[in-house]
């Protein structure tokens, strides 16, 4: 199946990134969120990043304009009727995603593929709220989307080979490298990454070292490009907590218990970079 029209649901950091790489790949994109304010913020992020690429000489002004013209904004899910491919990148919450998929299933054409960028939630459970579980799949991009090469591709129980192959091809068309992963909580990426981040938060909680020292240890000692606390702030502490909850509930193993300090920060609204404060402060 050849994809031409893509709807991205959720215009946060991931949705904006996915819309950008899809538009750069020549696809026709609609970027959707619940409020104009959020869609506009997503569009501005894309324009800013493309502008930087023009400054660096990686894009011409005309190419930037053409990419931006490939993206329309939307606050109505009725636009889903025109799409042959949907990627959902809304908040990491099963209730929110289930509501979106129920609605998409009603509005979308019968052959449309519904993908989710969930970081951890079961694809099979999301697929089960639709009448087309065979056309639902996980397409998990990494943050920042324009930079990171990986896309984890996760089949639900009913996903067909044709849908899997279409997503694999689409990921390649977007300049990404797809890797097949099975449907377990957190898949591979976050089953490994998030317990490390959670352990770094325990190190702060228990006073093992200051956040800066913990990050320095992992950067200088293990050659990580970002320390785990900087990375947690970058991902979003709400998303980190949501992923840890999915791991904890999914495996019922105490090794995945979210650190109380992570819960406290999320309750305080300290969600990291996106709210200006997490383990660090941002302007
Ligand atoms: C939670 C999940 O479900 C899964 C996840 O995504 S987990 C998160 C996975 N991501 C990571 O682990 C990222 C770790 N960090 C890194 O790899 C690097 O710090 C980084 C790529 C983000 C920045 O790299 P850096 O070398 O420190 O900085 P910098 O030189 O400024 O940037 C390198 C390039 O990335 C670009 N870049 C940096 N941040 C960016 C952003 N937020 N959006 C788009 N592009 C960005 C820069 O423009 C630059 O591009 P050029 O090569 O074209 O000049
Ligand atoms: N952050 C990361 O590093 C990564 C995140 N992901 C996954 O991507 C998804 C999005 O994460 P991220 O972009 O970081 O989160 P953000 O908080 O940046 O963005 C989520 C966006 O979805 C919007 N939203 C919430 N409910 C709905 C809805 N019903 N319909 C449409 N939009 C909605 C939010 O609006 P509002 O602000 O009003 O709630 C917000 O604009 C999550 O599933 C996350 O797990 C995957 C890979 C990496």
């Amino acid at each position: 199946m050849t994809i031409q029209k893509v709807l991205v649901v959720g215009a946060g950091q991931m949705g904006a990134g996915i819309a950008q790489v899809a538009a750069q790949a020549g696809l026709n994109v609609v970027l959707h969120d619940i409020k104009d304010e959020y869609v506009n913020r997503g569009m501005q992020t894309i324009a800013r990043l493309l502008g930087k690429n023009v400054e660096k000489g990686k894009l011409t002004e005309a190419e930037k304009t053409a990419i931006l013209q490939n993206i329309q904004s939307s606050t109505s899910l009725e636009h889903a009727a025109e799409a042959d491919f949907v990627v959902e990148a809304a908040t990491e919450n099963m209730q929110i995603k289930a509501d979106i998929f129920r609605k998409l299933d009603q509005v979308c054409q019968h052959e449309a593929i519904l993908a989710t960028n969930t970081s951890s939630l079961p694809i099979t459970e999301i697929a089960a709220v639709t009448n087309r579980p065979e056309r639902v799949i996980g397409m998990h991009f990494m943050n920042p989307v324009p930079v990171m090469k990986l896309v984890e591709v996760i089949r639900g129980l009913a996903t067909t080979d044709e849908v899997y192959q279409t997503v694999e091809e689409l990921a390649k068309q977007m300049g990404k490298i797809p890797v097949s992963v099975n449907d377990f909580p957190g898949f591979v990426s976050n089953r490994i990454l998030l317990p490390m981040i959670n352990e770094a938060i325990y190190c702060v909680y228990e006073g093992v070292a200051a956040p800066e020292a913990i990050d320095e240890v992992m950067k200088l000692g293990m050659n990580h490009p970002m320390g785990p606390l900087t990375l947690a702030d970058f991902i979003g502490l709400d998303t980190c907590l949501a992923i840890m909850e999915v791991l904890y509930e999914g495996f019922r193993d105490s090794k995945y218990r979210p650190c109380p300090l992570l819960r406290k920060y999320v309750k305080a609204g300290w969600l990291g970079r996106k709210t200006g404060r997490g383990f660090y402060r941002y302007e």
Side-chain angles (χ1 to χ4, degrees), residues 142-159:
M142 300 294 123
N143 189 10
V145 180
V147 179
M148 308 303 279
K149 285 285 171 202
L150 175 68
V151 171
E152 281 184 312
V153 185
I154 312 111
R155 293 169 200 247
L157 204 54
T159 312

Side-chain angles (χ1 to χ4, degrees), residues 92-142:
E92 186 73 351
N93 173 295
M94 182 51 99
Q95 196 57 53
I96 290 175
K97 292 193 190 288
D99 286 348
I100 292 171
F101 273 76
R102 261 185 225 106
K103 176 83 177 167
L104 288 172
D105 190 37
Q106 284 165 13
V107 178
C108 286
Q109 302 159 31
H110 200 61
E111 326 74 68
I113 295 175
L114 310 184
T116 171
N117 181 53
T118 178
S119 292
S120 59
L121 292 163
I123 306 305
T124 302
E125 196 176 329
I126 295 174
V129 308
T130 73
N131 290 312
R132 63 177 89 194
E134 68 288 350
R135 303 196 77 70
V136 177
I137 191 161
M139 187 178 194
H140 184 209
F141 291 82
M142 300 294 123

Side-chain angles (χ1 to χ4, degrees), residues 8-16 18 32-35 38-39 41 77 88-93 96-97 99-100 116-121 139-145 190 231 234-236 238-240 242-243 271 274:
V8 181
V9 179
Q13 52 181 345
M14 295 305 290
I18 296 167
H32 165 90
D33 208 305
I34 36 189
K35 284 194 191 159
Y38 303 134
V39 188
R41 193 184 48 200
L77 259 196
E88 169 277 319
T91 310
E92 186 73 351
N93 173 295
I96 290 175
K97 292 193 190 288
D99 286 348
I100 292 171
T116 171
N117 181 53
T118 178
S119 292
S120 59
L121 292 163
M139 187 178 194
H140 184 209
F141 291 82
M142 300 294 123
N143 189 10
V145 180
N190 287 324
L231 184 55
F234 181 59
I235 291 169
D238 52 341
T239 303
C240 290
I243 297 168
L271 306 185
K274 63 185 166 186

Side-chain angles (χ1 to χ4, degrees), residues 165-241:
Q165 279 150 16
T166 303
V167 171
E168 217 178 23
E169 281 312 309
L170 189 63
K172 288 181 189 162
Q173 192 183 338
M174 293 180 182
K176 305 298 174 196
I177 299 170
V179 175
S180 172
V181 165
N182 289 326
D183 192 14
F184 283 86
F187 318 124
V188 169
S189 54
N190 287 324
R191 180 158 176 187
I192 297 173
L193 178 67
L194 258 294
M196 182 196 70
I197 288 177
N198 195 46
E199 205 57 36
I201 301 171
Y202 266 108
C203 287
V204 181
Y205 183 60
E206 292 171 8
V208 179
E212 293 81 358
I214 293 164
D215 277 349
E216 282 296 273
V217 166
M218 298 306 286
K219 279 200 301 180
L220 301 178
M222 285 79 193
N223 257 2
H224 288 198
M226 279 176 172
L229 300 166
T230 304
L231 184 55
D233 276 358
F234 181 59
I235 291 169
L237 299 186
D238 52 341
T239 303
C240 290
L241 178 59

Side-chain angles (χ1 to χ4, degrees), residues 243-261:
I243 297 168
M244 285 310 298
E245 298 279 22
V246 170
L247 292 174
Y248 189 46
E249 281 161 25
F251 293 114
R252 301 197 183 266
D253 186 331
S254 64
K255 75 179 176 183
Y256 298 112
R257 72 220 175 284
C259 179
L261 189 63

